[in-house]
Amino acid sequence: MKKTSLLLAVCLCLTACSCSKEDKQSFAHVDHDKDSGVIFEELVFVYPEIVVENFAAYDTDQNGILDQNEYEAFRKEVVTEKQPPRVARLSPTQPKPGGAAVQSGVRTPSPRPDITVTVEGEKAPPSPSPQIESAPQTKPASPAKPAATERKNQEKSGPTTYTIVRGDTLTKIAKKHNVTVEDILKANEGLSADTIRDGQVIAIPGR
């Protein structure tokens, strides 16, 4: 009788442990904010081995959030079938250096040389004789305004900084600045969802 009771107790304990483990990995449990979506920080809290490339591979609509169908696809492959998680290849977001001649996709035209075309059978117009007595009074055009315009364009497209406040997450910061979590992580080497803290200053990449 005692052996039977002990065996029954062990079976109940194993069943409870199995149910507890399954509940911790359910969509309702992983969705801490209860907003019908799992963000990267919430997924890492339950699966600490997951990286940004894995999250992006299951985020099929690329909105920075896993809905229930996307999460269940991830859970089926990684938890149920014991497969390695998918890995997405992220494209670089930083603009390639193109020199001062190209700014924001607009190519600055180079000044054309002054060329006089003579048609065969016609006389070329006489060239004006140089004035030796009077000194030229024309002033060269100042390039200050184009340079200032280029600096403004560079400032608009360059990175900015942001100071983290209480309650911030990488997803909230990315939505606020119209960038992705992947962009922020690439602009801040060593940054992760577990290391952000109040008062920390991070770089926000240009749009």
Side-chain angles (χ1 to χ4, degrees), residues 65-160:
I65 299 174
L66 297 184
D67 58 28
Q68 188 167 0
N69 292 333
E70 293 170 341
Y71 174 76
E72 291 301 337
F74 162 81
R75 183 183 178 187
K76 178 181 178 182
E77 293 182 8
V78 177
V79 179
T80 306
E81 300 177 357
K82 304 296 183 182
Q83 296 182 10
R86 307 176 199 169
V87 178
R89 182 176 296 179
L90 303 178
S91 59
T93 57
Q94 296 181 353
K96 296 182 180 180
V102 179
Q103 293 293 334
S104 301
V106 179
R107 184 179 298 275
T108 304
S110 58
R112 297 182 178 180
D114 187 8
I115 301 175
T116 302
V117 179
T118 303
V119 181
E120 185 177 357
E122 296 182 359
K123 294 182 179 180
S127 58
S129 58
Q131 297 179 358
I132 301 176
E133 296 180 357
S134 61
Q137 298 180 357
T138 58
K139 296 182 180 180
S142 175
K145 291 183 179 180
T149 304
E150 292 180 1
R151 285 196 297 269
K152 289 182 180 179
N153 291 336
Q154 292 175 355
E155 291 174 359
K156 289 181 181 179
S157 61
T160 59

Side-chain angles (χ1 to χ4, degrees), residues 4-195:
T4 305
S5 300
L6 181 60
L7 181 61
L8 182 60
V10 171
C11 292
L12 291 174
C13 182
L14 292 175
T15 303
C17 291
S18 177
C19 293
S20 176
K21 182 177 180 181
E22 184 178 358
D23 290 339
K24 288 183 180 180
Q25 294 175 341
S26 66
F27 179 79
H29 184 83
V30 178
D31 181 18
H32 296 287
D33 295 339
K34 307 303 178 186
D35 54 359
S36 300
V38 175
I39 61 177
F40 175 71
E41 290 85 349
E42 293 173 335
L43 191 67
V44 171
F45 185 79
V46 181
Y47 304 92
E49 70 279 2
I50 296 300
V51 296
V52 175
E53 288 78 5
N54 303 138
F55 183 89
Y58 291 93
D59 183 15
T60 56
D61 52 6
Q62 298 298 315
N63 63 348
I65 299 174
L66 297 184
D67 58 28
Q68 188 167 0
N69 292 333
E70 293 170 341
Y71 174 76
E72 291 301 337
F74 162 81
R75 183 183 178 187
K76 178 181 178 182
E77 293 182 8
V78 177
V79 179
T80 306
E81 300 177 357
K82 304 296 183 182
Q83 296 182 10
R86 307 176 199 169
V87 178
R89 182 176 296 179
L90 303 178
S91 59
T93 57
Q94 296 181 353
K96 296 182 180 180
V102 179
Q103 293 293 334
S104 301
V106 179
R107 184 179 298 275
T108 304
S110 58
R112 297 182 178 180
D114 187 8
I115 301 175
T116 302
V117 179
T118 303
V119 181
E120 185 177 357
E122 296 182 359
K123 294 182 179 180
S127 58
S129 58
Q131 297 179 358
I132 301 176
E133 296 180 357
S134 61
Q137 298 180 357
T138 58
K139 296 182 180 180
S142 175
K145 291 183 179 180
T149 304
E150 292 180 1
R151 285 196 297 269
K152 289 182 180 179
N153 291 336
Q154 292 175 355
E155 291 174 359
K156 289 181 181 179
S157 61
T160 59
T161 58
Y162 176 76
T163 303
I164 297 175
V165 299
R166 185 176 181 84
D168 273 346
T169 65
L170 292 180
T171 300
K172 292 180 180 178
I173 297 172
K175 288 183 178 180
K176 183 177 181 180
H177 293 86
N178 197 22
V179 295
T180 63
V181 175
E182 292 82 357
D183 295 339
I184 296 178
L185 293 177
K186 285 182 178 293
N188 299 268
E189 185 177 357
L191 183 68
S192 68
D194 299 328
T195 59

